[in-house]
Amino acid sequence: MRGVRFGEPTAPIATLVHGWGGWWQQLGAFVSLLLEQGYQVVAFDALAHGSSGRGALGPRSSTLPEMAESYRAVADHVGAPTLTVAHSMGCLSVLWAQHHHGIAPARQVLIAPASTGAGMLDVFADALALGPAVKAGLAARFERRIGRPLAAFDVLPLVEAEQGAGRLAPALIVHDREDAVTSAEDSAALAEHWRGSRLRMTERLGHYRVLWASEVLAMSRDFCTGTLSPRTTRHR
């Protein structure tokens, strides 16, 4: 598995976690910001992603648990993160790793988080114009391969379980209202359930440009320094 480290090796660790089919450079705008905040930055490509090697299912084919295992392997190698910045399915993999592997950062920045397994299947099916029968077959194949139902990958039960155990840290949740890949409405529901979270909605940034927008970087900096206001706001 391939990755990079920036900054002082004794500084607190901030880990960047990309989404499904992504690579670490998609979160590259956060490197300078986090270094300025006194973190060392650790970024990696999960197995079967980016420049990393094949995973258990071969090249360019992976699962959410495998993405979470990649994140855990990085934490085992360099140390547990104090902060994570994650995007899309990477947000779900971080929460999966927290619940199943005990990796609990003190703060999390979740950008355009994927909230349900069924929702991500819908996006995939819509992109390929799959009919209901093919989509149902794909869901069944997915569940056979993973050995778990799609609902096992819903974010809210993970959050509620970690919150009930007293392990859930403060989070900044950022989502663009025009995101066509993951649901802004689901992020609003997530923020309602996640005590200590802050929700910020942006406009006209979509699923990927939100990672490089100056207002998102600014609110992330304010969240890291503890100066972010508690209000839920809309950025234009």
Side-chain angles (χ1 to χ4, degrees):
M1 194 162 60
R2 299 294 183 89
V4 293
R5 294 177 75 173
F6 304 93
E8 296 294 330
T10 57
I13 296 171
T15 304
L16 306 181
V17 185
H18 65 74
W20 187 260
W23 53 93
W24 79 261
Q25 289 93 338
Q26 290 175 311
L27 292 96
F30 285 87
V31 173
S32 295
L33 180 151
L34 294 171
L35 290 175
E36 291 171 0
Q37 298 304 315
Y39 291 96
Q40 62 168 307
V41 180
V42 175
F44 67 97
D45 291 338
L47 289 174
H49 288 76
S51 60
S52 287
R54 58 186 293 157
L57 300 177
R60 304 182 69 81
S61 183
S62 188
T63 63
L64 180 99
E66 186 172 72
M67 291 180 69
E69 287 281 359
S70 296
Y71 171 62
R72 181 176 75 160
V74 170
D76 288 346
H77 182 66
V78 303
T82 300
L83 169 74
T84 57
V85 180
H87 177 234
S88 193
M89 189 72 81
C91 303
L92 186 50
S93 73
V94 165
L95 289 164
W96 181 274
Q98 176 166 337
H99 184 63
H100 292 277
H101 305 308
I103 303 171
R107 282 179 177 264
Q108 302 187 47
V109 178
L110 306 178
I111 303 173
S115 295
T116 66
M120 294 309 298
L121 180 65
D122 287 344
V123 170
F124 184 73
D126 290 345
L128 296 180
L130 302 181
V134 175
K135 180 180 171 182
L138 182 64
R141 180 182 178 187
F142 173 87
E143 292 182 349
R144 286 195 304 270
R145 172 176 284 189
I146 305 300
R148 297 175 184 268
L150 279 174
F153 303 100
D154 290 355
V155 71
L156 276 180
L158 295 175
V159 165
E160 289 171 351
E162 291 302 292
Q163 194 156 253
R167 293 188 296 260
L168 202 59
L172 170 64
I173 302 168
V174 182
H175 217 122
D176 192 77
R177 295 183 185 276
E178 299 176 25
D179 192 321
V181 178
T182 56
S183 168
E185 291 182 358
D186 285 349
S187 281
L190 175 61
E192 289 181 3
H193 284 80
W194 190 323
R195 293 189 298 272
S197 68
R198 300 288 184 265
L199 175 67
R200 296 295 184 266
M201 292 290 190
T202 62
E203 305 281 353
R204 298 185 294 277
L205 294 175
H207 191 64
Y208 294 102
R209 286 190 296 126
V210 68
L211 293 169
W212 295 86
S214 59
E215 64 264 36
V216 175
L217 295 173
M219 66 180 75
S220 299
R221 181 196 61 230
D222 292 345
F223 176 71
C224 290
T225 59
T227 59
L228 188 70
S229 72
R231 300 188 310 276
T232 298
T233 60
R234 175 187 298 182
H235 289 259
R236 294 188 178 275

